[in-house]
Amino acid sequence: MNTLLILLSFTFNIQLFSTYSGRFGFMGVYNTHNQVSYYFILFILFYYYKFIFKNEKPIKLIFVVVISFLIGTKKIYFFNLLLFSHYILNQKLYKKKSFYLLTISGIIIFTLFIEQIKLIFFQKFDVFVNIYQEKGLVTSITSYRNTLFFKVINDTILNHWNFLNYIFGGSEFYKLRVEFGWVDIYLFFGIFGLLVYFLFFKKLLIITGYNKFYLVVLVVVLGVDFFAGGFVSSANQPILFLLITAYFIQIKNQMNQLKVNALN
């Protein structure tokens, strides 16, 4: 239902459901842009799995992917780039002539309409462009997180931390956040916290029977979190993630049952 609301908000420019103030993007009735981004990331991964491994029609997958681009968060664009790269490698599209034909055709079309594309980009992502012109590409991509990262290192870690802080952390969540997911975990809980999270996700992978695609889910979600934050430090997104995990556990149990039935 919220996907339709996002589509309607984009079509009629309903600012009540915008992702940001004064910046392109619509998130519907979700609470935060982090929540809507990770919910869509997990929805897309779920439908992508069904399309690739269950041979289901990609209608829902295509619809959700298209709507995700209307949210306007960089983590969504980064995720879709990762997913497209996985699709190319998984399906071995690089071995097909049609892939290169489509790629060349896309480059030609992009070149022909470069001025119109630039105009739309500058209109929709003017904040990104302004930061890029003032502070450079890295700062614009990370939304000043890189400068905050070095500020935290210089002002907090190097000047105020002792040995125990490096092991157990020592920052206050509401006062100091870099919003690079795993950096924040280290700030709050130190090396000990990173180890606990590593063991937790490793345990989930083991429970799913080392499902290869679930490993892809882990790498992609945690990779996006490292780049843009908002996942491991949230209370909402991991709940849906655990539901996705339960789905892969169910798949493992079904496969085990099929093996038992085959033996009998």
Side-chain angles (χ1 to χ4, degrees):
M1 185 64 185
N2 198 62
T3 55
L4 294 176
L5 186 58
I6 292 173
L7 181 60
L8 289 173
S9 299
F10 169 74
T11 304
F12 299 103
N13 194 30
I14 305 174
Q15 292 301 308
L16 176 64
F17 302 112
S18 61
T19 306
Y20 305 99
S21 176
R23 177 175 156 188
F24 172 76
F26 299 91
M27 66 178 184
V29 295
Y30 285 102
N31 292 327
T32 66
H33 61 83
N34 275 326
Q35 186 182 53
V36 65
S37 296
Y38 283 110
Y39 274 33
F40 267 80
I41 285 172
L42 293 171
F43 288 152
I44 291 171
L45 285 169
F46 177 72
Y47 291 129
Y48 178 69
Y49 175 83
K50 288 200 164 189
F51 167 59
I52 296 297
F53 298 100
K54 299 293 185 180
N55 297 317
E56 294 192 5
K57 294 182 179 179
I59 298 175
K60 292 181 179 179
L61 172 64
I62 294 171
F63 178 71
V64 176
V65 168
V66 170
I67 296 298
S68 73
F69 280 98
L70 304 181
I71 296 172
T73 60
K74 289 189 286 291
K75 58 173 64 72
I76 278 289
Y77 302 139
F78 178 57
F79 161 75
N80 280 316
L81 178 62
L82 291 177
L83 189 71
F84 184 62
S85 300
H86 178 270
Y87 182 71
I88 291 174
L89 295 174
N90 183 264
Q91 300 298 308
K92 295 182 172 58
L93 297 183
Y94 52 85
K95 293 184 177 181
K96 299 179 180 180
K97 292 181 180 179
S98 58
F99 171 73
Y100 293 99
L101 181 62
L102 287 172
T103 301
I104 294 172
S105 300
I107 293 173
I108 293 173
I109 294 173
F110 180 83
T111 304
L112 291 174
F113 294 95
I114 183 65
E115 293 302 322
Q116 291 86 342
I117 293 173
K118 286 169 61 177
L119 180 62
I120 294 173
F121 183 82
F122 289 156
Q123 287 177 344
K124 298 296 184 182
F125 301 98
D126 55 327
V127 175
F128 174 88
V129 174
N130 292 336
I131 297 175
Y132 169 72
Q133 293 173 342
E134 293 178 8
K135 300 294 183 178
L137 181 62
V138 175
T139 303
S140 61
I141 291 176
T142 60
S143 300
Y144 290 99
R145 291 185 182 93
N146 61 319
T147 57
L148 182 57
F149 172 71
F150 289 110
K151 186 178 186 305
V152 167
I153 291 178
N154 294 324
D155 297 349
T156 302
I157 295 178
L158 295 181
N159 291 332
H160 298 288
W161 273 22
N162 56 39
F163 175 75
L164 288 178
N165 289 125
Y166 288 99
I167 303 300
F168 299 106
S171 296
E172 296 183 45
F173 180 78
Y174 290 104
K175 290 184 178 180
L176 186 64
R177 281 185 293 171
V178 178
E179 292 189 29
F180 286 143
W182 292 98
V183 174
D184 284 339
I185 294 298
Y186 176 71
L187 287 173
F188 306 148
F189 305 115
I191 295 175
F192 175 77
L194 288 176
L195 179 61
V196 170
Y197 271 90
F198 171 77
L199 294 175
F200 173 72
F201 286 113
K202 181 181 178 182
K203 184 66 175 179
L204 290 182
L205 181 61
I206 293 172
I207 294 175
T208 62
Y210 291 99
N211 186 292
K212 291 182 179 179
F213 188 78
Y214 185 74
L215 179 60
V216 172
V217 173
L218 279 176
V219 171
V220 169
V221 171
L222 297 180
V224 172
D225 184 56
F226 177 80
F227 171 74
F231 181 75
V232 294
S233 59
S234 170
N236 294 319
Q237 288 80 267
I239 294 175
L240 181 60
F241 178 80
L242 289 176
L243 291 176
I244 295 291
T245 301
Y247 174 74
F248 284 97
I249 294 173
Q250 182 185 22
I251 291 174
K252 176 200 171 187
N253 293 335
Q254 289 175 349
M255 292 180 64
N256 290 339
Q257 188 61 46
L258 287 175
K259 290 179 182 178
V260 171
N261 293 340
L263 291 174
N264 293 334

